[in-house]
Amino acid sequence: KRRLRSASSCGSRAVAAMAPLREAGLLLLLLVLPPASAGLSGYFGTKSRYEEVNPHLVSDPLSLGPGAGRSLPASCTPLQLRAVLRHGTRYPTAGQVRRLGELHARLLRRGAGMAACPAAAALAAWPMWYEESLDGRLAPQGRRDMEQLARRMAARFPALFAARRRLALASSSKHRCLQSGAAFRRGLGPTLDFGGDEVEVEVNDSLMRFFDHCAKFVALVEENDAAMCQVNAFKEGPEMKKVLEKVASALCLPVEELNADLVQVAFLTCSYELAIKNVTSPWCSLFSEEDAKVLEYLNDLKQYWKRGYGYDINSRSSCILFQDIFQHLDKAVEESKSSKPISSPLIVQVGHAETLQPLLALMGYFKDDEPLLANNYARHAQRKFRSGRIVPYAANLVFVLYHCDHVNASQEEYQVQLLLNEKLLAFHHSNETISTYADLKDYYKDILENCRFKEECELPKVNVTAVDEL
C-alpha cells in the first residue's frame, strides 16, 4: 500500500524541538528582511483579494493587463478552454465569526478601563456586523469578481466565447460556488446565446470537492491533529510569540488571554474588511508588515501540510480532476481530427482553494527545495509556496487547447497553454509557455495512467495508528 509520506514529520518531537526554537528566535528574526512598507494586503494568504496578483485591475477591472496579446500563438485556433475557478470573495465562516465575537466581547467587557489604551478603545467601538448566518457565503464583491473574470476571459478568447457556443458550467455544492458560477454566466451578458439565457450549473462534488471523497485524506490529514504538528509548533514558536505579545500589549490585555487563533482572526478581519468592503479596518492597526509576514507563514504552513506538498495524499487525491481535464482535451483532439464540431468548447468549473492547491501541487508547481517547517521561517522569506499568490479569491487555472496550421510535424498540430490567474504559466518539461499536447501528456504520463483515485484514497487495511501512518 502507498504510505502517507511527509517531507518531515514531528509528532511527539514537536514539543522537544521548541526549546532550541525559542533560543534561536532572536537569530531567526534578525535574519528576516526588514519591512519595505506598512502595507499588509500582500500577506493575507488564501483570504487575499484577486487584485493582489493582478494590480492593474484596481484601476480598470476589465483590463487584460500587460502582455495580453501574447496569449494566442500565431496560426493557431483555440478549440477548447477548460477553467477551474475558485469562488469569489466570501464572508467569514461561522467559526471565524464566533472567534471574532469572543475577542470583541473581551474588549467590550474591559470598558472604562481602556482610556489609556487607544487601540483597544477603537476596536471596542468598532461595530461587530458579522453574523454567523453569513457562514462563508459569497459577498457582493465576490459576484463582481466572477462577472468581471468572465468578461475578461471572453475578451481574451473571443473565438471560444462567440455566440451559439456551448458552455458547460459545473460547481461544488457550496452556496458560494453555485452563486459564483451563476455570476460568471451573468458576466458573459445576454449577447452570448449558450442554448438559453440561463445555463444550468451542474453540481459535481466528486471533481470539485474530491478531498471530501478521499477516505485516506479525511482520516489521516483532515481529521488528524497530528498531521498539523508543524502548524501547531509554529503557533507556539518564537515568531508567533513575539506577535502575540505585541498584540496583547496594544490591546492592554494579559498575554494569557490571547492565543494564536485569536490573533489570526483579528488579522483575517483586517483582510475581510479590505476584500469585502474595500476599507482599512481598525483591526489592521494591530499589525506591522513584519507581523503580517509571520501570520502569512502560519496560513501557508496550514495550506502546505493540508493541501500542498506536506503529504502525498493531498495532491494524489486530485488526480481524478486532473485526469478528467485530459479526457475532455483528448475528446476535443479526436473530434477535431474527425472534422467534427467540438462538443465541449467551454468547460468552466467552480470550486475552492482546496480544489486548486492540490491540483497545482500534483502538477509540480510552487514547490520549494526545502519543506515549510515550524523552525525554518526565516529561510523561507523568498519561498515559492505563497498561497495568496497562488489561490486568492477568484483564482483560476485555465487549459487552452489549440489547433495549429503550418506546422513542421503532425504532433505540433495540437498545442496547449496554461494560465494561472490570467498569466501564462511555463510548463515544467520545457520552461516554455506553449507545449505540444503530445509532450504535455508524455510529461504527466504516470499520473494520467497510474493514479487511481479509489486505490490512492483507500485507507490502509492494517491496524496502524494515524501517527504511525504519518
Side-chain angles (χ1 to χ4, degrees):
K1 292 289 177 190
R2 183 183 299 278
R3 290 175 63 80
L4 205 67
R5 298 291 181 195
S6 69
S8 174
S9 55
C10 43
S12 59
R13 288 172 287 173
V15 176
M18 293 319 297
L21 258 180
R22 292 181 199 284
E23 291 168 15
L26 181 59
L27 176 62
L28 283 169
L29 288 163
L30 287 173
L31 286 171
V32 178
L33 295 171
S37 71
L40 306 180
S41 61
Y43 304 103
F44 291 141
T46 53
K47 307 301 183 289
S48 295
R49 302 182 301 170
Y50 189 66
E51 288 80 3
E52 300 306 322
V53 296
N54 285 310
H56 59 271
L57 297 177
V58 173
S59 57
D60 181 3
L62 298 180
S63 166
L64 299 187
R70 297 200 307 267
S71 294
L72 185 66
S75 73
C76 295
T77 306
L79 293 180
Q80 185 181 71
L81 179 146
R82 174 69 174 264
V84 183
L85 318 180
R86 184 192 179 192
H87 57 77
T89 303
R90 66 164 174 82
Y91 291 110
T93 62
Q96 288 163 334
V97 173
R98 273 195 299 275
R99 281 193 291 275
L100 177 60
E102 178 190 336
L103 180 57
H104 193 242
R106 286 187 194 186
L107 297 175
L108 284 172
R109 282 196 299 271
R110 294 182 70 81
M114 295 191 302
C117 207
L123 289 171
W126 173 78
M128 170 60 181
W129 64 275
Y130 296 101
E131 297 175 357
E132 288 186 36
S133 60
L134 291 171
D135 194 24
R137 288 184 170 253
L138 196 69
Q141 178 57 46
R143 294 187 185 91
R144 288 191 288 274
D145 292 338
M146 288 290 124
E147 289 172 4
Q148 290 162 358
L149 175 62
R151 290 176 68 182
R152 291 192 304 271
M153 214 175 272
R156 195 181 297 273
F157 300 104
L160 281 175
F161 284 85
R164 294 181 299 283
R165 286 295 196 126
R166 180 172 178 270
L167 169 66
L169 257 180
S171 165
S172 115
S173 58
K174 292 291 182 181
H175 197 267
R176 56 186 171 271
C177 295
L178 287 164
Q179 284 199 331
S180 290
F184 185 92
R185 171 64 190 93
R186 277 197 309 276
L188 297 174
T191 55
L192 294 179
D193 177 15
F194 292 105
D197 186 47
E198 284 305 313
V199 175
E200 187 176 341
V201 181
E202 173 204 354
V203 172
N204 192 334
D205 278 343
S206 65
L207 290 183
M208 293 295 98
R209 294 184 65 84
F210 51 78
F211 41 89
D212 282 345
H213 300 264
C214 184
K216 180 184 275 190
F217 170 78
V218 171
L220 300 185
V221 181
E222 182 74 56
E223 296 178 352
N224 177 18
D225 289 341
M228 293 298 104
C229 60
Q230 295 292 339
V231 179
N232 295 328
F234 189 73
K235 285 179 180 179
E236 302 295 327
E239 296 88 5
M240 275 304 299
K241 186 182 178 193
K242 185 178 179 184
V243 176
L244 204 68
E245 288 170 349
K246 183 182 168 186
V247 172
S249 174
L251 295 177
C252 302
L253 287 173
V255 72
E256 297 77 25
E257 282 195 29
L258 289 178
N259 58 38
D261 291 337
L262 285 174
V263 168
Q264 193 174 34
V265 86
F267 182 63
L268 291 180
T269 303
C270 170
S271 79
Y272 282 122
E273 300 272 273
L274 179 66
I276 294 168
K277 300 172 83 172
N278 197 29
V279 298
T280 300
S281 170
W283 290 98
C284 303
S285 67
L286 297 176
F287 305 98
S288 67
E289 187 176 12
E290 202 55 54
D291 302 330
K293 289 177 181 178
V294 173
L295 288 158
E296 180 196 29
Y297 192 72
L298 176 60
N299 187 324
D300 286 349
L301 266 179
K302 181 180 176 184
Q303 291 296 316
Y304 183 89
W305 289 96
K306 209 165 198 172
R307 307 293 176 184
Y309 291 103
Y311 303 107
D312 281 351
I313 192 59
N314 298 350
S315 59
R316 297 291 286 187
S317 61
S318 75
C319 69
I320 187 171
L321 174 57
F322 188 71
Q323 290 165 343
D324 186 77
I325 289 168
F326 277 83
Q327 284 163 12
H328 280 95
L329 293 169
D330 280 347
K331 186 178 180 185
V333 168
E334 289 308 311
E335 287 170 339
S336 170
K337 285 180 176 177
S338 305
S339 300
K340 294 178 182 174
I342 307 303
S343 53
S344 299
L346 291 170
I347 304 171
V348 177
Q349 299 168 307
V350 189
H352 307 263
E354 296 88 343
T355 311
L356 277 168
Q357 191 78 76
L359 182 63
L360 286 161
L362 185 73
M363 295 176 70
Y365 285 102
F366 308 107
K367 185 173 187 178
D368 293 285
D369 294 336
E370 190 179 348
L372 273 64
L373 302 171
N375 63 354
N376 63 3
Y377 163 74
R379 291 199 298 279
H380 276 302
Q382 304 299 322
R383 66 189 176 280
K384 297 173 188 173
F385 194 91
R386 291 186 66 198
S387 58
R389 301 286 160 182
I390 306 167
V391 286
Y393 294 124
N396 48 91
L397 180 66
V398 178
F399 291 77
V400 187
L401 175 69
Y402 296 94
H403 177 263
C404 300
D405 296 320
H406 315 304
V407 292
N408 297 324
S410 59
Q411 70 166 20
E412 294 176 8
E413 194 176 344
Y414 295 96
Q415 303 199 28
V416 187
Q417 283 191 317
L418 199 57
L419 294 93
L420 177 66
N421 301 327
E422 301 175 77
K423 292 193 276 281
L424 289 169
L425 201 55
F427 292 101
H428 282 304
H429 61 277
S430 64
N431 211 29
E432 301 288 339
T433 56
I434 188 153
S435 167
T436 67
Y437 185 51
D439 284 350
L440 183 63
K441 283 187 71 175
D442 186 60
Y443 182 73
Y444 289 115
K445 184 178 179 181
D446 180 62
I447 297 170
L448 292 171
E449 293 182 0
N450 301 318
C451 185
R452 296 176 178 84
F453 182 81
K454 187 176 178 184
E455 292 171 19
E456 299 283 345
C457 289
E458 198 173 29
L459 275 169
K461 295 287 192 293
V462 288
N463 187 22
V464 295
T465 67
V467 175
D468 287 341
E469 185 65 14
L470 287 172

